[in-house]
Amino acid sequence: MVQRLGGGTGGVTRKASFAPVVDAATRVLILGSLPGDASLRAERYYAHPQNQFWRLLSAVVGTDLPALPYPDRLDALRASRIGLWDVVASATRPGSSDAAIRDVAANDLAALVATLPALRLVAFNGGTAWRQGHRLVPGVPTLALPSSSPLHTIGVAAKQPAWDAIGAYLHD
């Protein structure tokens, strides 16, 4: 969701996160910071074509996620016991850079975590998500992941080992 605050073209853009994608079987919750403009326009998580999120998770879940329609991607994550949400409920931000996020209202991560009886790990997609959120989930193991954003310019191969660590939390 995007909302213009203030009058005329000089208003500040306030952006909001999507609903969480979780169920009672969720073992790993991956938290981003706040959806970027491409995701907000498409109304779906990680919609920017250069974002590496779906490629990185493909190796973890053993499914070619980018080849699937978006609803099937979410189904594949749920079937793999992975949930999604964002640390930031809403904030002002021109463009999509996490560095430009201001006036943050956080999502109630502790309340969501309390509804997930099978949860074993909360993973943070990128430094901003980690800095904003790791203290909001006490009592749950956390993992800081290298950002899947195209603005974080190291390649998929360099990021993949950190993302692969999620797999250890998905199975008995």
Side-chain angles (χ1 to χ4, degrees):
M1 179 180 91
V2 178
Q3 177 184 17
R4 295 290 284 175
L5 305 175
T9 59
V12 177
T13 303
R14 186 153 194 94
K15 300 172 181 177
S17 66
F18 304 129
V21 176
V22 295
D23 61 28
T26 298
R27 288 192 176 188
V28 173
L29 177 62
I30 301 175
L31 298 171
S33 55
L34 180 69
D37 288 347
S39 293
L40 290 168
R41 279 190 301 275
E43 298 181 1
R44 59 188 179 118
Y45 284 99
Y46 304 102
H48 192 287
Q50 293 176 331
N51 193 296
Q52 300 163 336
F53 180 83
W54 299 108
R55 287 178 48 202
L56 290 162
L57 274 183
S58 288
V60 175
V61 302
T63 300
D64 185 3
L65 296 170
L68 299 176
Y70 181 69
D72 295 343
R73 291 177 189 183
L74 297 182
D75 288 345
L77 290 187
R78 281 189 211 92
S80 298
R81 302 177 181 177
I82 296 174
L84 300 177
W85 205 23
D86 290 301
V87 173
V88 177
S90 68
T92 57
R93 179 182 64 194
S96 296
S97 171
D98 281 359
I101 293 174
R102 302 285 183 271
D103 305 316
V104 171
N107 274 316
D108 191 346
L109 302 180
L112 178 67
V113 164
T115 69
L116 302 175
L119 189 68
R120 294 182 174 181
L121 176 72
V122 177
F124 294 88
N125 184 359
T128 299
W130 169 259
R131 283 187 300 279
Q132 295 275 337
H134 76 277
R135 289 182 192 93
L136 302 176
V137 290
V140 180
T142 59
L143 175 65
L145 297 168
S147 176
S148 66
S149 168
L151 297 176
H152 188 60
T153 58
I154 67 169
V156 170
K159 296 176 185 181
Q160 194 67 59
W163 283 76
D164 287 346
I166 292 169
Y169 295 87
L170 298 176
H171 309 288
D172 292 324

